[in-house]
Amino acid sequence: MFVLAFIVRISVVLTSNGLRGNFGYDASVYYSAADALTFGRLPYRDFVLLHPPGLMLVLTPFAVLGRMSTDHTGFVAGNLAFTALGAANAVLVMRVARAMKLDRRAAIVGGGFYAVWLGSVHSEYLSRLEPLGNFALLCGLLTYFGARRSASRYLPLVCGLAFGAAASVKIWWAVPLLIVLAWHVPADRRRDLPKVAAGAAVALLAIDGPFFMAAPSQMWHMVVTEQLGRNRSSISSVTRLSQLTGVQGVVSRLGHPAAVAISVLLIVVVFCIMALAWRMRAARVVVVLGAVQGALLMTAPSWFSFYSDYLAPAAALVLAAAVSRTVLPTTARPGAILRTRVISWVSVLAAAAGTYAYLSGPHQPVSTFPSTRLASAVRHTRCVMSDSPMGLILLDTLSKDLGDGCPNWIDVTGRTYGADAGTLPGGKPLSRVANPTWQRDLLNYLRSGDAVMLIRTAGTGVSHQTQTALRRGGILATAGGHTIYHTPH
């Protein structure tokens, strides 16, 4: 299962532009935050980080590797490690299913679904929050079910540690933590509640505590207030549901009535699977977990397709429980057995078909970048600025500039949720490109070095006037559609 999941995830990169390309914004932010930490810069106090520090800490060894070799080497090594982590999650799904006392075939169905479902594959080919949060959650579930079968005094504590660690990756994983704590309130599980709560508290204090003590107000605002206060995404519920279920390619080619009909059908299928899983007492906690996580994804203010991975562990385990023969009576009719087999094959094959359609289609999650030609042009430039840390990684100037004390916001556009947020008189959010405060601060930041390269103009919201001002210093180097400009002083 590990090999299958790894091959599917690495195929996202290999069928795009390979390991040497531009992997986008988010992963570069987390890696750059880890690199900045190795130079003594603290998140929240010294730079913007809109999530808890868990992922940053895990990436720190790869940032050290990048300092010893090249920024891009450390970054790619981190991505490959997270690809392997995503593959390990598929194996963990099988382990958790077996700990739930599901039969071997059901465990394989759950692991296979996780391995090939586009919702998880699309997120787990690089260092994102989701694969790490899922790993911690699955470890927590494994120890939870292990504690239910064992008299160990330590498994409940480890369970709490794992769920607390998950909540230290992204605040959305506070929801599974609260569910597990609530699940221990009934009398038959109450004896373990203090240990689970203590484990979670230890994890939260150990991972988040030092950074909260260094900058309590800034950390609270960035991680909690600014996350919960994000602008409402314009993506419809139908689109969210189609991306969650992996049928967006079909829905996008249909008219609105047909898309709604398919969405309603999918909801019915999902509820049927959840109802089948609910028959098994041990599976009820993951059914509740999946329902609440799904509701959170459908109602959260922000949305990106890779958010689907947040639901992947619960979805895989609910499916495994639904098709398990463990809950069938020994005198079950052949029709009931056939039904579980049909659901098994259809679910996994449908998930695999959606991923195959994505991989064989015109996807470009990794874009090309002429690193060699442009990096040589800034090798002796002291401070290179960019609107995305990915640009600095590709130019191999991230660690060099941090060591030279150059300014680095890390999450550049993260400031638009806090210090540089803009609103219209009626409270409606102001776009970045039309926000004069953002344009002023962004221009001053990008001009604070000796050279500048824009790599994410539209996403950053760089106005035409700001671009014109940055070009006045003249061209230092240009290649492959990317240009580095001198910064006049």
Side-chain angles (χ1 to χ4, degrees), residues 6 10 14 18 20 23 27 41 52 95 99 143 156 169 214 228 300 308 330 343 388 424 441 471 475:
F6 187 88
I10 198 66
L14 299 181
R20 299 299 302 176
F23 280 76
R41 302 190 190 189
R95 293 288 305 276
T143 51
V169 174
L228 299 179
S308 302
T330 54
I343 295 173
S388 168
L424 295 169
D441 291 348
R471 292 169 182 154
I475 294 175

Side-chain angles (χ1 to χ4, degrees), residues 181-236:
L181 289 174
W183 211 257
H184 281 85
V185 171
D188 62 330
R189 296 185 289 267
R190 195 173 302 160
R191 64 182 177 84
D192 290 335
L193 178 59
K195 295 178 182 178
V196 175
V202 168
L204 291 168
L205 286 171
I207 297 171
D208 305 292
F211 302 101
F212 185 79
M213 291 178 63
S217 176
Q218 297 97 313
M219 183 175 179
W220 178 263
H221 281 291
M222 291 182 195
V223 174
V224 180
T225 307
E226 293 172 16
Q227 279 292 336
L228 299 179
R230 285 197 172 197
N231 301 329
R232 181 73 187 176
S233 172
S234 60
I235 296 176
S236 68

Side-chain angles (χ1 to χ4, degrees), residues 303-329:
W303 172 262
F304 295 95
S305 59
F306 58 81
Y307 284 2
S308 302
D309 196 25
Y310 175 67
L311 187 60
L317 290 168
V318 167
L319 176 62
V323 303
S324 176
R325 294 187 61 178
T326 305
V327 295
L328 294 176

